[in-house]
Amino acid sequence: MPFEISASLTITGLDFDSQNITDKLGIIPTKTWKIGDLIHPKGTIKRKHNGWVIESNLSKDNEIEDHIKSLFEELHPVWGVLQEISNNYDLEISCVVYTDGEVPSIHLDQEIINKSQQINAEIDVDLYVLPENTIENEQQRKKLVKFT
């Protein structure tokens, strides 16, 4: 496979407790952090905001649209609460594409645009072009590790 895609919804702000966001939404986040936490364990740069993240649970070979729609589907039961949260905190839909040559379709339909606007969410797409066959070689290595 020549690419891997993921998407997540991130809530950030200066004055919230991630447990409070979890309680309001009734959804266990994929990741949280607090102001002052290190961004990377081996680094020195610290977080400037509190954060709460939920990632799409689709496989990495799905399109960006599918990942975002999957997130929206999961959040649908608490959409009103999410809209309230968006009045006080920053929301971002973050999409990451790793490719070793072939670039997948990056398309956001009207439904995604409208729903993103409803929750005042920005959309960020990061594209990382890796050396040829990097993703395929890594996937093959993971398969070998599973069998040994």
Side-chain angles (χ1 to χ4, degrees):
M1 175 189 321
F3 56 82
E4 289 186 0
I5 299 172
S6 63
S8 60
L9 174 78
T10 303
I11 302 171
T12 56
L14 295 173
D15 62 347
F16 76 77
D17 176 2
S18 59
Q19 186 60 51
N20 190 22
I21 299 292
T22 300
D23 293 344
K24 283 183 178 181
L25 293 175
I27 297 172
I28 303 298
T30 307
K31 176 172 45 171
T32 63
W33 62 84
K34 294 179 183 177
I35 293 173
D37 288 352
L38 291 175
I39 291 176
H40 189 277
K42 295 181 180 179
T44 59
I45 301 172
K46 295 183 178 184
R47 302 271 185 189
K48 295 180 181 176
H49 299 90
N50 295 312
W52 186 98
V53 179
I54 184 170
E55 294 178 0
S56 164
N57 56 9
L58 295 181
S59 68
K60 304 240 184 242
D61 59 350
N62 282 279
E63 299 290 332
I64 284 177
E65 264 190 338
D66 297 331
H67 280 280
I68 296 171
K69 286 180 179 182
S70 173
L71 284 169
F72 287 164
E73 201 172 292
E74 185 173 353
L75 294 163
H76 178 75
V78 292
W79 198 255
V81 176
L82 192 61
Q83 287 176 307
E84 289 176 27
I85 289 170
S86 74
N87 291 327
N88 299 309
Y89 305 111
D90 296 320
L91 276 65
E92 178 182 273
I93 298 164
S94 177
C95 305
V96 179
V97 179
Y98 292 99
T99 180
D100 56 10
E102 183 180 332
V103 179
S105 168
I106 298 175
H107 178 261
L108 305 175
D109 67 17
Q110 195 63 47
E111 177 187 359
I112 290 173
I113 301 298
N114 289 339
K115 288 189 177 220
S116 299
Q117 184 180 11
Q118 289 174 13
I119 57 171
N120 300 315
E122 296 181 359
I123 300 173
D124 177 61
V125 179
D126 294 330
L127 176 63
Y128 297 97
V129 180
L130 306 172
E132 193 172 329
N133 295 324
T134 301
I135 294 171
E136 186 176 314
N137 290 341
E138 181 63 18
Q139 289 172 340
Q140 291 299 322
R141 186 189 67 74
K142 286 179 183 177
K143 287 180 184 175
L144 288 174
V145 170
K146 287 181 184 177
F147 292 117
T148 56

